[in-house]
Amino acid sequence: MSSLLVDDIGELVTNVPTPGGGPLGLRRDVALLVEAGRVVWIGPARYAPAADRRIDAGGGAVLPGFVDSHAHLVFAGDRAAEFAARMAGEPYTGGGIRTTVGATRAASDDDLRDTVRRLRDEAMRQGTTTMEIKSGYGLTVADEARSLRIAAEVTAETTFLGAHVVPAEYAGRPDDYVGLVCGPMLTAATPYARWVDVFCERGAFDADHARAILTVGQAAGLGLRLHANQLGPGPGVRLGVELGAASVDHCTHLSDADVDALAGSATTDDPTVATLLPGAEFSTRSPYPDARRLLDAGVTVALATDCNPGSSYTSSMPFCVALAVREMRMTPAEAVWAATAGGARALRRTDVGVLRPGTRADLMILDAPSHLHLAYRPGVPLIRQVLHNGVPQCRL
């Protein structure tokens, strides 16, 4: 069995809390051994075992790979003109989703596949080793199924988002469309999906529709996720907690009751994670979520890109970390944890987002001595090398 040793590590982020290492479980003067795609040993560098191959980290920091738990990569076209209009002062309403739906329906499988692989590779180069991908730009039975089938070619974390918006052909008939989502569309999507999601917002789906879709999806064996409280206050967050959703995402407009519900969930074995998506606020000039309020209440927080062609066309988790620190009052350590271990919790995964014996050898090596540089040097390509399942993916 081939082995790989990573040594000359300046700082190792394990996300295994220790008395001296804080919540990131920081360790120094250590090495890390990989076999069969798994971490099998972490210990003092001077006691490092022999290995078949070696990677010299050059004194750089080593972190778990980013876990991006919210992304929309299956689409065609772009909405650059919409972005320019927002920057000129037009408000964001979510209405541009239908523009992408039209382009996606018209695209070939190969066109969609090329976009998914291009963006997945782009994210990998920036340290993302686990990525959730949603459907939601097809909104027909056939197009939602093919979107998930294509997404499943590059990730196990696929999410059925047939309830993204009500498509034009069902205008004025949301109940009929929800019936389609809960019936033939769910049946066609389930073989390719791990999760079901609903955009529970004004102009999309109300709480009753969201409850119906999530309940049927859960009965079909899918885990629950929810877009909630992005455009304004609403019932989404508390509905997600009530139903035991793994994650409620956006969480921009929260009441005290919303925060209390999330904080109560955080004390359970399977908390509902508040996944914050600062790329969306950056791209729409909207208020940022108050991460400090959530963290101080004890809520489990994750960060994700929300990569999509309309409201957050970024695949960069380092960018989201920097935004979280600058705009959402997170410390660098909190932001890094949220982008790695937090994302793993939002996907209910224990094998990623953490580096300890037995976890997947998904990691990145920075061209910097500390995790602090991810926020300290925004926009700088600091990812020197990425390992996914112990296999080097790129070297910059």
Side-chain angles (χ1 to χ4, degrees):
M1 183 182 300
S2 178
S3 58
L4 171 66
L5 182 72
V6 182
D7 65 1
D8 196 13
I9 298 171
E11 172 189 88
L12 179 66
V13 173
T14 66
N15 285 334
V16 179
T18 60
L24 293 185
L26 298 179
R27 299 183 65 177
R28 294 177 175 82
D29 299 320
V30 297
L32 179 149
L33 185 68
V34 175
E35 291 180 354
R38 298 275 169 168
V39 177
V40 296
W41 179 88
I42 297 173
R46 63 184 179 277
Y47 299 131
D52 300 307
R53 294 177 294 143
R54 173 179 176 266
I55 291 178
D56 184 345
V62 173
L63 292 79
F66 291 124
V67 180
D68 186 351
S69 60
H70 185 127
H72 307 250
L73 304 191
V74 190
F75 64 86
D78 73 30
R79 282 150 57 192
E82 178 189 317
F83 172 79
R86 287 198 303 272
M87 295 306 102
E90 291 189 13
Y92 175 70
T93 64
I97 292 170
R98 291 182 179 88
T99 301
T100 301
V101 169
T104 303
R105 288 178 177 179
S108 70
D109 286 11
D110 285 343
D111 288 341
L112 296 179
R113 183 174 290 111
D114 287 347
T115 296
V116 169
R117 292 186 181 277
R118 172 176 59 83
L119 291 171
R120 182 67 191 93
D121 290 347
E122 185 179 277
M124 184 78 76
R125 292 194 298 271
Q126 297 174 90
T128 299
T129 50
T130 301
M131 196 169 200
E132 182 259 17
I133 301 176
K134 304 178 189 296
S135 66
Y137 291 122
L139 309 188
T140 69
V141 172
D143 284 308
E144 285 297 293
R146 75 161 176 159
S147 293
L148 289 162
R149 173 172 47 80
I150 290 168
E153 293 174 2
V154 300
T155 184
E157 300 296 344
T158 53
T159 298
F160 168 47
L161 183 59
H164 202 179
V165 293
V166 176
E169 62 268 27
Y170 280 86
R173 298 187 293 131
D175 290 347
D176 290 345
Y177 183 66
V178 170
L180 179 72
V181 171
C182 290
M185 194 179 286
L186 176 67
T187 299
T190 297
Y192 308 107
R194 183 180 177 211
W195 304 95
V196 60
D197 195 348
V198 178
F199 189 25
C200 183
E201 293 280 354
R202 65 176 186 267
F205 297 90
D206 64 23
D208 290 340
H209 287 151
R211 181 187 297 276
I213 294 164
L214 293 175
T215 300
V216 172
Q218 189 172 50
L222 303 181
L224 307 186
R225 322 189 70 71
L226 197 62
H227 286 61
N229 299 60
Q230 176 189 7
L231 304 179
V237 165
R238 277 170 284 167
L239 176 63
V241 173
E242 176 195 337
L243 296 179
S247 181
V248 288
D249 298 18
H250 287 290
C251 296
T252 309
H253 300 275
L254 299 181
S255 67
D256 289 344
D258 295 327
V259 175
D260 289 344
L262 288 165
S265 173
T267 64
T268 67
D269 290 338
D270 290 313
T272 297
V273 174
T275 299
L276 309 183
L277 310 170
E281 280 71 41
F282 176 88
S283 182
T284 61
R285 280 189 172 159
S286 300
Y288 285 90
D290 189 348
R292 184 78 270 135
R293 178 186 181 197
L294 291 167
L295 291 164
D296 289 348
V299 175
T300 305
V301 171
L303 289 174
T305 63
D306 193 18
C307 183
N308 75 81
S311 60
S312 185
Y313 201 5
T314 180
S315 59
S316 175
M317 288 291 278
F319 174 63
C320 292
V321 166
L323 283 179
V325 172
R326 173 63 181 83
E327 302 291 348
M328 301 195 320
R329 300 194 296 154
M330 298 179 81
T331 68
E334 288 168 340
V336 166
W337 189 94
T340 52
R345 292 197 184 184
L347 295 173
R348 293 196 169 155
R349 296 279 295 273
T350 59
D351 61 329
V352 296
V354 176
L355 293 175
R356 63 181 172 219
T359 61
R360 278 189 3 190
D362 287 0
L363 58 89
M364 64 183 117
I365 301 172
L366 301 188
D367 190 16
S370 167
H371 71 280
L372 296 172
H373 286 241
L374 289 168
Y376 176 47
R377 304 197 67 206
V380 177
L382 294 178
I383 313 300
R384 180 191 301 170
Q385 193 165 59
V386 177
L387 272 67
H388 180 48
N389 286 329
V391 178
Q393 301 296 302
C394 62
R395 185 176 180 86
L396 303 181

